[in-house]
Amino acid sequence: MVDALGVAVVGFGWMGRVHTQAYARVAHHFPGLPLRPELVTVAEEVPGRAEEAAAQFGFASTTRDWRDVAADPRVRAVSITAPNFLHREIGVAMAEAGKHIWIEKPVGLTAEDARAVADAVAKAGVQGAVGFNYRNAPAVEAARELIASGGIGRVTHARVRLFSDYAAHPESALTWRYERERGGSGVLGDLASHGADLARFLLGDIASLTADTAIFLPERARPAGATAGHSRATGGELGAVENEDYVSCLLRFASGARGVLEACRVSVGEQNNYGFEVHGTQGAVFWDFRRMNELGVSRGTGYQDQPVSTVYVGPGDGEFGAFQPGAANAMGYDDLKVIEAYRFLRSVAEGVPYGATLADAVRGATVLDAMVRSARDRAWVTVDAPA
């Protein structure tokens, strides 16, 4: 018996589209899932955008006010893909209305915001999933298993990088992303949030850190109208960029391992250069998102001059088998969101969380808050323990 689950999407920019496509595909890749998402409504305040989404994807209704979604009895689960500064208000409201939520990172602008949503989800007894999609890559899950099993010995140090050029053009419009009040801590929330989650997912909690931040493009032009994604603006009034373009951070893990996390949104020549290198006493493991389905692995007792082998993930790794029949067949970014959708819907069906949760969002946000404090105070700071 397969039950229908009415779902809604709040915010229909690029990420809203990705969530919607994941809902459409999830049954194809995971036919045993006892729930089938039905696209009930889409909420988007930009005129005409919700109607375009409904025409393309088959939503039964549209609205410009997300509050209509909270009041809609047809909706049992909601994807929250609106701008970051709305995440807390919408997340809390949807949980209080009894809706399960799949919310994009960062969950609000601070750890306090993330904790408010997490508390609302817990109080309401609903499920909450968070869009830390890179941890869903089968190669990343394979790396985690290798590390946990002692396959590279005791971890000594690691580096996580997230370099992109999406904001590198000097004519990029001064949207909400560059405002402290609406965009939070800039590249910290946008990219370093993924880095903090990957570091924790692979190596456990971060105990303390010291960070440095910078704004490299201090002014941008204000857009004349509604924007989507990373739009350009020329000739408009210039305004100040208020949040960070770049962050570098030294990490001390609770395990005793050391780490480096670096993220930048204005890296000319870098397109989605995301990845990690984890070194241990008997080996190392390397992952590059641009070669998402493979790992570099060094194992053994050679120590000096020990070679690195390329390992292609296959059906035994993570959810790879739901997409491809054999190793070295490629998966892509959107597939990671299908995995997220599956784990979210499975959580709803079974009442047990699968995948990244609001607790992960809170822990990640405490790391980001610690980075902000460290950069401000120019000091090592302790990462707050979970409440």
Side-chain angles (χ1 to χ4, degrees), residues 132-137 139-141 143-144 147 158-162 191-206 251 253 261 273-278 287-289 336 356 360 364 367:
F132 290 125
N133 42 269
Y134 299 109
R135 64 155 63 191
N136 296 323
V140 173
E141 294 188 300
R144 186 185 193 220
I147 293 165
R159 184 167 78 99
V160 181
R161 70 185 186 282
L162 298 106
L191 294 182
S193 58
H194 282 299
D197 183 67
L198 280 174
R200 289 188 56 254
F201 184 68
L202 294 168
L203 304 176
D205 281 335
I206 296 164
L251 309 171
F253 291 88
L261 191 159
N273 181 359
Y274 309 151
F276 56 75
E277 301 119 39
V278 179
W287 181 71
D288 187 327
F289 169 65
L336 303 184
D360 292 309
V367 174

Side-chain angles (χ1 to χ4, degrees), residues 223-250:
T227 61
H230 306 290
S231 304
R232 303 272 179 85
T234 57
E237 178 187 358
L238 292 178
V241 172
E242 298 174 351
N243 56 24
E244 295 82 354
D245 288 329
Y246 171 85
V247 61
S248 62
C249 190
L250 299 178

